[in-house]
Amino acid sequence: MSSASTATVTSSSTVPPRVVEEKTVQEELSLPILLADRVIKSAQEAESLRQDCADLAKQVDRLSQMLRAEVRLAVSTPSLYDRPLRRIASDITRNLDRALTLVRKCKKHSGVLRQVFSITTTADFRKVSNLLESSIGDMKWLLSIFESDGGAHLSLPPIASNDPILAWVWSSISAVQMGQVKDRVDAANQLASLARDNDRNKKMIVEEGGILPLLKMLKEGASVEAQTAAATALSNIASDGEKVRVIVDALGISMIVGVLGDSQTRVQISVANLVARMADLDDYAQEEFVRLNVTRPLVSLLSSHLDMEIVSNNPVKTSIPSLIEMNKKLAYKGGYNSDGSSHGGSHNNKREMETPELQLKLKVSCAEALWKLSRGSVSNSRKITETKGLLCLAKIVERESGELQFNCLMTIMEITAVAESNADLRRAAFKTNLPAAKAVLDQLLRVIQEENDPQLQIPAITSIGCLARTFPARETRIMGPLVSHLSNRNVKVATEAAVALGKFACPENFNCSEHSKAIIDFEGVPPLMKLLRSGDQPQRQGLVLLCYLALNAGNSKALEQARALNALEGTARSVLAHHPELKDLFSRAMNHLTLYQAGAPLNRQSLAS
């Protein structure tokens, strides 16, 4: 097998994680150097085809000198990137072994049979010579990238002639690990570009050991450009949970959190984007970010330059620190390091000088990171609510627009979704008499009533629905805005309003009877009946809400006038065909309406028939 074809096979296969201690580079190169010496000695002892053996020995001697030069380089370079060296050394070992077998056949052999099997031809030497020439080319390329201070190379070694991406990955990772600052930036950008192209490139970068050098480059902070390039490359590589886990296993979370807490704005934008991507793709990474309290710098960055006047207007209980105290605690200190050492916050003053556009980008990225971190995570959601996070989110929803407002609304939605199924979080963060909870509720209602963009209306409506069990029976200002959206021309908004109202009217809600009556009082039945004719999902959610109203307020004239019983009967069979789990709810609702509505026969046909 040729060296080029060998590279194709090995580069496409999955390289398992290194769980056993590898040989040192010196140990790795000792075998091919020993084989080279044996080939040269055997060539000198050859008795046939002596010229061919001599020519082969010259190639091997040249290769041996390169291998020894590589050993000297490895000894003097502690940070040597050795993945291509190990791959090439393995290929050279095979080729030298083949050369040794060939020259040994040129010795004098006793016995006719052994002489027959020892016959060699010039063609055999030509094949081995070509292999050795490829190995020499591989070593020339390897020495060139190591002796040029790590600058990225676009030339191709023979081992990667069938897979040029492999050579680019090797040279780029080498430059990131060993190069000067400018070369490292260029190489990281090259890796980011390769990773953006396709999944195969991402996988190759991971397999060839590109993650740790990029993390080290991010942590060292040689320049803003270097850190930004490293963070961007890591974001492009981290396209699925498996690759994210490699970053986590390389202890990358602590490095990322540390950089986020004490860097210039451009770097923080890239790092916040990386946090959002990793948290979105891997639950374990999400929880590791929680453990290292990444929400603290994110909330602090999001709230910078934000006038939190609500704090002065509404005194906060002692469980929520004042802004002055919180800003002291959230100053960019080394508390984000795993060892607790201090960075000192040297970039704070520089941040004041950043353009408003850059500050906006940072806030957008931080809000997205909080959104992804809070999704399905009780611990992250709790950390956000325990800081000034809710107040900050409410104020941004009030004052900002566009992507920043949307990301903050999505963060609120994810936190309320977690609180819906976690009573402790719901009671601690969303009691309606808490200033932060009140601020959030006010802004959710404002969005529902004043905004016309469904992208904003839907998360606001969803959030209100998730908090349905926190509202007392006397809280009626919520019902009007929600009911009004049952007739929204956007079916998705109307459907989400039905879902939210269903959470107020469902039996799990202690105040379901009062809430159901309020929905009817706000004339929610007529638009609800229209929603039943709007397709499968709107019809299903509308029917569920109608069933809850029937169970809680079956004697309502509004339900009777809207012929709710007829609507349930007319749609029940088609809906139950796709959603059989609703059969019991439908039956109870129809029976309840039958008891109250005048003229309704008590012996209506069963749904089971």
Side-chain angles (χ1 to χ4, degrees):
M1 180 183 289
S2 69
S3 59
S5 61
T6 301
T8 303
V9 172
T10 55
S11 67
S12 61
S13 61
T14 301
V15 180
R18 300 180 183 182
V19 293
V20 295
E21 186 176 348
E22 281 190 323
K23 295 179 181 178
T24 65
V25 171
Q26 296 92 312
E27 291 171 338
E28 196 77 46
L29 295 177
S30 62
L31 178 57
I33 290 174
L34 179 62
L35 285 173
D37 292 342
R38 289 177 179 175
V39 171
I40 294 170
K41 182 179 179 181
S42 295
Q44 292 169 349
E45 296 172 353
E47 297 184 7
S48 62
L49 297 175
R50 297 183 65 181
Q51 185 59 47
D52 290 329
C53 288
D55 293 340
L56 207 65
K58 289 179 181 178
Q59 286 182 293
V60 173
D61 182 61
R62 187 180 177 192
L63 192 56
S64 176
Q65 292 178 27
M66 290 180 170
L67 290 168
R68 285 181 164 84
E70 193 64 60
V71 171
R72 291 192 294 271
L73 186 62
V75 171
S76 61
T77 312
S79 62
L80 186 76
Y81 173 59
D82 61 5
R83 293 301 287 265
L85 187 153
R86 293 178 186 276
R87 188 82 62 87
I88 289 171
S90 175
D91 201 66
I92 289 173
T93 300
R94 285 192 295 271
N95 293 341
L96 287 173
D97 190 59
R98 188 167 178 176
L100 181 61
T101 301
L102 182 63
V103 295
R104 280 178 172 174
K105 290 182 179 180
C106 295
K107 286 185 178 181
K108 184 176 181 180
H109 297 282
S110 59
V112 176
L113 192 59
R114 292 190 64 182
Q115 291 180 20
V116 169
F117 284 105
S118 299
I119 294 175
T120 57
T121 64
T122 302
D124 295 327
F125 276 90
R126 192 179 301 116
K127 291 178 182 178
V128 174
S129 177
N130 289 338
L131 291 175
L132 293 175
E133 200 59 40
S134 293
S135 293
I136 291 171
D138 291 335
M139 287 301 299
K140 286 174 64 177
W141 176 85
L142 191 59
L143 288 169
S144 71
I145 68 168
F146 288 163
E147 292 176 349
S148 62
D149 294 325
H153 281 238
L154 295 179
S155 59
L156 293 179
I159 195 173
S161 58
N162 288 351
D163 191 359
I165 299 297
L166 180 62
W168 294 342
V169 168
W170 277 345
S171 63
S172 296
I173 296 176
S174 175
V176 168
Q177 183 163 321
M178 302 166 54
Q180 301 300 316
V181 174
K182 184 180 183 304
D183 293 328
R184 296 177 78 187
V185 172
D186 292 340
N189 287 331
Q190 174 70 18
L191 290 174
S193 178
L194 288 171
R196 189 166 51 244
D197 287 344
N198 56 62
D199 286 337
R200 181 179 181 273
N201 291 353
K202 296 182 183 73
K203 184 178 179 182
M204 187 182 293
I205 293 169
V206 172
E207 290 174 349
E208 297 305 324
I211 296 297
L212 198 55
L214 287 169
L215 285 171
K216 187 177 179 182
M217 180 176 172
L218 176 65
K219 181 182 178 182
E220 287 174 352
S223 70
V224 171
E225 291 74 16
Q227 289 182 295
T228 303
T232 302
L234 289 167
S235 292
N236 290 353
I237 294 168
S239 60
D240 57 49
E242 182 181 356
K243 297 179 184 66
V244 170
R245 193 62 63 88
V246 176
I247 298 176
V248 177
D249 292 343
L251 305 181
I253 300 289
S254 61
M255 299 183 200
I256 292 167
V257 175
V259 172
L260 180 65
D262 185 26
S263 297
Q264 292 194 29
T265 302
R266 285 172 53 199
V267 177
Q268 290 173 320
I269 292 170
S270 299
V271 173
N273 291 337
L274 176 59
V275 172
R277 190 169 181 85
M278 292 176 64
D280 189 38
L281 293 171
D282 185 67
D283 292 341
Y284 181 69
Q286 186 187 52
E287 292 308 311
E288 281 295 290
F289 278 123
V290 180
R291 188 176 65 83
L292 292 173
N293 204 10
V294 74
T295 53
R296 172 182 280 186
L298 286 171
V299 170
S300 184
L301 292 170
L302 187 62
S303 62
S304 64
H305 303 96
L306 191 63
D307 179 17
M308 303 284 283
E309 59 187 32
I310 186 172
V311 176
S312 59
N313 294 339
N314 298 278
V316 183
K317 292 185 179 181
T318 55
S319 59
I320 303 178
S322 68
L323 276 182
I324 295 176
E325 287 299 315
M326 184 58 68
N327 282 332
K328 288 180 181 178
K329 291 180 181 180
L330 300 184
Y332 302 113
K333 59 186 180 179
Y336 314 127
N337 279 350
S338 58
D339 60 359
S341 60
S342 174
H343 289 304
S346 60
H347 298 294
N348 288 353
N349 293 332
K350 294 180 181 178
R351 187 175 299 108
E352 297 290 337
M353 302 170 60
E354 299 288 2
T355 64
E357 292 78 13
L358 205 58
Q359 291 174 9
L360 176 60
K361 284 185 178 179
L362 176 59
K363 288 176 180 288
V364 168
S365 297
C366 289
E368 183 180 8
L370 289 171
W371 165 17
K372 304 300 182 181
L373 285 163
S374 57
R375 177 183 291 169
S377 172
V378 175
S379 50
N380 258 330
S381 298
R382 181 176 286 115
K383 283 184 178 292
I384 295 172
T385 60
E386 286 173 352
T387 66
K388 57 183 175 180
L390 283 179
L391 290 173
C392 175
L393 292 168
K395 190 58 64 176
I396 290 176
V397 170
E398 177 187 10
R399 295 185 175 183
E400 300 294 338
S401 59
E403 191 176 3
L404 177 56
Q405 184 186 39
F406 172 76
N407 287 350
C408 288
L409 272 172
M410 294 302 292
T411 304
I412 292 172
M413 186 189 76
E414 295 298 345
I415 295 173
T416 56
V418 172
E420 181 180 16
S421 56
N422 189 286
D424 291 338
L425 177 61
R426 194 166 62 246
R427 285 191 292 266
F430 291 104
K431 283 184 179 179
T432 53
N433 61 339
L434 292 176
K438 184 178 182 302
V440 168
L441 179 59
D442 288 345
Q443 292 312 309
L444 292 176
L445 288 173
R446 185 192 63 78
V447 170
I448 292 172
Q449 291 174 298
E450 298 177 11
E451 297 287 351
N452 295 318
D453 186 354
Q455 274 199 315
L456 301 178
Q457 292 172 327
I458 289 174
I461 292 171
T462 302
S463 299
I464 293 286
C466 291
L467 298 176
R469 279 186 279 181
T470 65
F471 300 113
R474 64 181 181 276
E475 181 65 82
T476 57
R477 64 177 180 142
I478 297 167
M479 291 303 172
L482 286 180
V483 169
S484 68
H485 281 293
L486 287 174
S487 56
N488 195 297
R489 286 181 294 179
N490 186 296
V491 176
K492 291 182 179 179
V493 175
T495 303
E496 199 58 47
V499 173
L501 289 168
K503 293 178 180 180
F504 281 88
C506 69
E508 289 77 17
N509 193 311
F510 182 77
N511 297 312
C512 59
S513 296
E514 291 81 0
H515 292 321
S516 297
K517 291 172 184 175
I519 294 171
I520 294 172
D521 290 343
F522 278 104
E523 300 183 356
V525 175
L528 178 58
M529 302 304 291
K530 291 181 181 178
L531 188 63
L532 302 182
R533 302 190 291 269
S534 299
D536 179 61
Q537 181 67 5
Q539 184 184 64
R540 176 181 177 274
Q541 298 299 340
L543 285 170
V544 169
L545 175 56
L546 184 60
C547 287
Y548 291 151
L549 296 181
L551 290 173
N552 297 324
N555 59 346
S556 168
K557 288 292 182 182
L559 292 176
E560 184 176 359
Q561 291 171 1
R563 299 191 176 185
L565 182 57
N566 290 340
L568 285 175
E569 288 181 327
T571 56
R573 293 190 182 280
S574 60
V575 172
L576 291 178
H578 298 92
H579 305 285
E581 71 278 5
L582 298 177
K583 180 179 177 181
D584 180 62
L585 176 63
F586 274 43
S587 296
R588 289 189 293 115
M590 290 170 64
N591 289 337
H592 211 67
L593 287 174
T594 301
L595 290 174
Y596 282 104
Q597 294 190 5
L602 295 177
N603 57 346
R604 285 184 178 266
Q605 192 174 15
S606 170
L607 289 175
S609 61

